[in-house]
Amino acid sequence: MKQRIEIWKKLYEYGRERIGAFYIFIGVQMLAELLTLVGPFIYIKLIDKIMMEERLYFLKYIIVSLLVVYAFSTLLKYIAMKLHNYFFLYLEAKIQKKLLHNYFIIPHKIISKFDTGDLKKRVTDDIESVSAFIEKNVVTDLILGVQIGITFFLLFKMSPILLGISAIFIPFSVLVTNVLGKRAQKITQEERNIQGTYEQHLYNFLGNWKEIKFYQLSRTIIEKIKESWVPLRKIILKKQEINFLSKAFVSFKDYVILEMGMYFIGGFLIFHGRLTLISFIAFMSYFKFFLQYVTNISENIFDYQQEFPRLRNILDMISFEEDKRVKINQFHELSLQNVSVTLSGNHILQDISFSVKNGEHIFLIGRNGSGKSTLLKTIMGLQKVSCGEININGIPLKEINEHSIYRSIRYLPQTPCFLNGSIRDNLSISNPDLTEEEMIAACENVDLWSYIKTLPKKLETQMGDSGMRFSGGQRQRLAIARVLLSKPEVLLLDEITSSLDEENSQVVQKLLQDNFKGKTIIQVSHKWKEVGNDSKIIAMRSGRIQKR
């Protein structure tokens, strides 16, 4: 119970603005549920007044009462549905927004441990566990507590003996449900982990189908999907078995032991004159409600334990605090001191030391595999340093707020990434508040607007998957325009002209020189022709610096 209260406190913060609607929802839902207790009372009156006393005129009151209860109950349920949607859809949207925000502030070394399938499920499937938790373990359990209290009082008034006998089985029921629930919780966590791997293979297949088709890799990928499905299937079957055992136990306990036992003992009490037939009928009518309420509580405990791993996935992510490390507001100098990177026992970078001051243009020259791209990723904090230290403005990289690094430094890879959306969508990624005039000016600066303005939809033109509706040179120009709009202080360029012909390479290089004068640039290249007269050169070989 304490754990559930703590969870509710965390979730409360996200629904605070509409908490009034939530409390009204509880009240309306409680009234609707309590109305169900009126049914047995009307049924007893039907037997007592009409069947036993033969007062037929009383039938019209019975019919009117049933109609009123039905109409009022339906109205309350409709209101509860509206309030439910108003609060819970808002809550899920707020938490989803928080999750997506945290995906971008969580340090790379942490977020990189999760695969795509896992992250996707947290934002989609797992988020449903939040609403389920509040509905079952806050709203429903509160209402069930009131219903159990009322029915317990009524049953005690009718027959304390029958109630006392039935109460013997309740602790036993809760104990068995708790044991099965813990087992289900463990299986759910295993299922969650295996399903993440399975969906990762599935996303790789669906997201890279062109490459898979081109390189004839479909058989290999499909085999991987099948291999990951086998353990997932087994764990799903285990989960079904636990659910079946739980429901089978509840059915046996409720309808075989308790109900049959109540009828036997009730008959015995009636036979010995200690209970009237009408009182017994009334008792059993309300006892079925009481039994259902206790069963619902047990099922909620089981469901909570089973769904807790999914709920924990959400809570872990939304509880992540903002990076409070030092923020850099203006770039002055970057320095590397004896930096080495080792991966799987292989020395990728060894004893790298150099510094870059504001406004300098550095070229990293070397053959493929010399460690140039790894060095850029290490500067960005995307690759862990095995030894040595990287400083920005004299501050160790590990002590700097990661988000502020990405805001000041822009990394442009050989193959730029584009959304499957419009040109406008891709230009405004870093700043949604950009005006159309600013976008057009950036496109003009990279000599691309003359082409875009000839397109029927201009900036609304769809770029296709990975920008494939545009040529390689156009994609690089658009990537440069996007970087230009983000106004970085430092540019890290990773062989951005390697896939372009000589003419386009020269155009792109000139665009960089014209648009980023005075900016700090570290550029990876294997083309000596691109090196300007004012640029510094760092030649690399086998992960080491050869000369400057």
Side-chain angles (χ1 to χ4, degrees):
M1 179 60 71
K2 183 179 179 181
Q3 185 185 55
R4 280 182 272 184
I5 292 173
E6 290 300 318
I7 293 173
W8 165 241
K9 286 179 179 178
K10 291 181 180 179
L11 298 177
Y12 172 84
E13 296 299 321
Y14 295 93
R16 185 197 296 265
E17 293 179 14
R18 295 191 179 182
I19 202 66
F22 175 69
Y23 291 142
I24 296 172
F25 165 72
I26 294 177
V28 172
Q29 187 77 1
M30 186 174 293
L31 281 175
E33 293 296 332
L34 290 178
L35 273 178
T36 59
L37 295 175
V38 179
F41 176 78
I42 297 175
Y43 175 64
I44 293 165
K45 287 296 180 184
L46 175 68
I47 296 174
D48 188 33
K49 299 294 183 182
I50 298 174
M51 295 183 180
M52 302 295 290
E53 299 180 10
E54 298 184 353
R55 295 162 67 177
L56 294 178
Y57 71 90
F58 215 81
L59 183 61
K60 59 185 178 183
Y61 299 115
I62 298 293
I63 295 173
V64 170
S65 298
L66 288 172
L67 289 174
V68 169
V69 169
Y70 173 77
F72 193 45
S73 177
T74 302
L75 176 62
L76 288 174
K77 288 178 180 178
Y78 176 78
I79 295 171
M81 178 192 70
K82 289 291 186 180
L83 291 168
H84 173 278
N85 293 339
Y86 180 74
F87 176 77
F88 284 100
L89 292 179
Y90 169 80
L91 178 70
E92 287 185 5
K94 286 268 288 190
I95 293 176
Q96 189 177 60
K97 183 179 179 181
K98 177 65 174 177
L99 276 174
L100 292 172
H101 170 74
N102 279 10
Y103 280 178
F104 293 100
I105 67 169
I106 294 175
H108 179 264
K109 65 180 181 180
I110 296 176
I111 200 72
S112 60
K113 294 177 181 178
F114 302 100
D115 55 46
T116 307
D118 186 17
L119 294 174
K120 176 261 180 186
K121 287 189 72 64
R122 289 173 191 255
V123 180
T124 53
D125 298 351
D126 288 355
I127 207 166
E128 295 175 2
S129 64
V130 173
S131 293
F133 168 78
I134 295 175
E135 285 188 67
K136 290 183 178 180
N137 295 278
V138 178
V139 179
T140 304
D141 281 359
L142 177 63
I143 294 172
L144 286 172
V146 174
Q147 290 174 318
I148 288 174
I150 292 173
T151 50
F152 184 89
F153 175 77
L154 293 173
L155 292 172
F156 183 80
K157 284 289 186 180
M158 295 173 193
S159 177
I161 297 174
L162 283 176
L163 180 61
I165 293 171
S166 66
I168 296 172
F169 295 94
I170 294 176
F172 174 67
S173 172
V174 173
L175 178 63
V176 173
T177 302
N178 192 48
V179 171
L180 291 173
K182 287 182 178 179
R183 175 62 179 156
Q185 183 180 118
K186 183 179 179 182
I187 291 175
T188 300
Q189 185 60 57
E190 291 177 11
E191 178 195 25
R192 184 67 177 72
N193 296 336
I194 296 171
Q195 193 164 16
T197 303
Y198 169 73
E199 292 198 0
Q200 179 65 34
H201 290 312
L202 200 59
Y203 294 153
N204 286 338
F205 179 74
L206 298 175
N208 303 292
W209 65 270
K210 293 179 182 177
E211 291 80 1
I212 291 170
K213 184 176 181 181
F214 181 78
Y215 292 109
Q216 296 291 296
L217 298 173
S218 58
R219 183 175 179 181
T220 304
I221 299 298
I222 290 173
E223 283 300 319
K224 285 186 177 181
I225 293 174
K226 286 182 178 179
E227 288 173 7
S228 59
W229 167 249
V230 172
L232 180 60
R233 181 185 61 191
K234 290 180 180 179
I235 207 75
I236 289 174
L237 292 175
K238 282 185 181 180
K239 188 175 179 181
Q240 288 177 344
E241 288 176 4
I242 292 293
N243 287 333
F244 174 78
L245 287 174
S246 176
K247 293 182 184 299
F249 167 74
V250 169
S251 298
F252 179 77
K253 179 259 300 180
D254 290 350
Y255 303 109
V256 177
I257 298 178
L258 279 177
E259 276 204 50
M260 289 182 64
M262 289 299 99
Y263 280 115
F264 176 80
I265 296 169
F268 179 82
L269 293 175
I270 291 171
F271 183 77
H272 286 83
R274 300 187 63 178
L275 189 67
T276 65
L277 179 61
I278 291 293
S279 296
F280 180 66
I281 292 173
F283 183 92
M284 289 307 297
S285 297
Y286 281 103
F287 180 72
K288 287 182 179 180
F289 280 99
F290 180 76
L291 202 59
Q292 187 60 53
Y293 299 152
V294 174
T295 299
N296 289 346
I297 287 281
S298 297
E299 288 180 349
N300 285 353
I301 293 172
F302 178 82
D303 290 343
Y304 166 73
Q305 291 176 319
Q306 182 174 248
E307 293 298 310
F308 180 71
R310 296 175 62 196
L311 187 61
R312 184 173 54 201
N313 289 335
I314 297 293
L315 294 174
D316 289 346
M317 282 296 183
I318 64 175
S319 300
F320 196 92
E321 295 183 359
E322 195 85 27
D323 191 347
K324 296 181 180 179
R325 290 177 292 179
V326 179
K327 293 183 179 181
I328 53 171
N329 299 315
Q330 188 174 5
F331 175 82
H332 296 295
E333 183 182 18
L334 167 72
S335 65
L336 288 80
Q337 300 170 3
N338 305 316
V339 171
S340 296
V341 172
T342 302
L343 296 175
S344 303
N346 298 317
H347 300 294
I348 309 300
L349 296 177
Q350 300 181 65
D351 199 28
I352 302 294
S353 297
F354 67 89
S355 63
V356 184
K357 293 184 179 180
N358 187 30
E360 288 187 328
H361 191 155
I362 304 291
F363 272 90
L364 298 177
I365 303 293
R367 296 178 180 179
N368 291 334
S370 60
K372 305 183 301 296
S373 296
T374 302
L375 180 55
L376 292 190
K377 292 177 181 177
T378 305
I379 293 172
M380 287 290 290
L382 302 178
Q383 180 60 59
K384 185 179 179 181
V385 174
S386 302
C387 65
E389 190 171 71
I390 300 175
N391 295 313
I392 297 179
N393 297 347
I395 305 169
L397 190 66
K398 60 186 178 182
E399 297 178 10
I400 300 175
N401 179 285
E402 196 174 79
H403 187 66
S404 73
I405 295 173
Y406 299 152
R407 187 176 60 248
S408 300
I409 303 175
R410 282 288 186 268
Y411 172 69
L412 189 57
Q414 176 181 336
T415 304
C417 177
F418 292 103
L419 300 176
N420 190 358
S422 66
I423 297 173
R424 184 190 300 276
D425 293 335
N426 280 279
L427 287 174
S428 60
I429 288 176
S430 59
N431 184 5
D433 299 323
L434 286 171
T435 64
E436 185 164 321
E437 290 73 19
E438 289 174 312
M439 295 184 195
I440 292 174
C443 291
E444 286 176 340
N445 287 337
V446 297
D447 196 22
L448 192 60
W449 178 245
S450 58
Y451 170 73
I452 293 175
K453 70 180 182 181
T454 64
L455 301 173
K457 294 185 179 180
K458 297 181 174 59
L459 290 175
E460 300 304 327
T461 302
Q462 295 296 307
M463 295 191 63
D465 188 17
S466 300
M468 294 306 294
R469 293 181 183 172
F470 291 77
S471 69
Q474 288 170 335
R475 289 199 297 272
Q476 281 294 13
R477 293 185 193 190
L478 193 61
I480 293 171
R482 185 167 61 187
V483 171
L484 191 61
L485 287 167
S486 66
K487 300 176 181 178
E489 295 186 82
V490 182
L491 280 178
L492 303 183
L493 309 176
D494 192 359
E495 298 201 75
I496 61 172
T497 62
S498 62
S499 61
L500 304 179
D501 57 37
E502 190 64 30
E503 182 181 352
N504 275 309
S505 294
Q506 291 176 5
V507 170
V508 168
Q509 197 62 37
K510 188 175 186 305
L511 289 173
L512 290 171
Q513 293 171 358
D514 293 343
N515 289 286
F516 296 99
K517 287 180 180 178
K519 299 293 183 182
T520 306
I521 300 176
I522 302 177
Q523 183 173 355
V524 168
S525 180
H526 58 268
K527 299 178 180 180
W528 286 91
K529 292 180 181 180
E530 294 179 346
V531 180
N533 295 327
D534 298 330
S535 304
K536 292 184 178 181
I537 300 172
I538 296 178
M540 296 187 65
R541 183 177 181 181
S542 302
R544 293 178 179 273
I545 292 177
Q546 295 299 300
K547 63 178 179 178
R548 300 184 193 178

